[in-house]
Amino acid sequence: MPAKSKAQQKAAGAALSAKRGDTPKSKLKGASKSMEESMSEKQLEEFAATKRKGKPEHVG
């Protein structure tokens, strides 16, 4: 499933980084924190790999 907004894509990237151990989990907040806890690494990769071009900054 691709990310629907730039913000969602960025949050997935941060969560993926923490899941892989590149970033401390304590640095996560908001959506990225809940994404890291509830999604698999494969799901996070799919969200983070979404192209940003043409995506809105936020989805309402």
Side-chain angles (χ1 to χ4, degrees):
M1 168 191 272
K4 296 187 187 313
S5 69
K6 291 178 185 179
Q8 193 177 46
Q9 189 267 344
K10 290 176 191 176
L16 180 60
S17 177
K19 192 166 277 277
R20 290 180 173 167
D22 298 333
T23 304
K25 290 182 182 184
S26 61
K27 296 255 183 198
L28 296 180
K29 42 187 172 172
S32 58
K33 187 173 188 176
S34 63
M35 288 173 106
E36 191 277 328
E37 294 169 353
S38 65
M39 297 174 76
S40 71
E41 189 171 330
K42 187 173 190 282
Q43 290 174 312
L44 289 170
E45 283 176 359
E46 289 175 10
F47 267 76
T50 304
K51 301 288 184 214
R52 289 188 198 180
K53 187 173 184 180
K55 298 275 185 211
E57 189 61 40
H58 294 277
V59 173

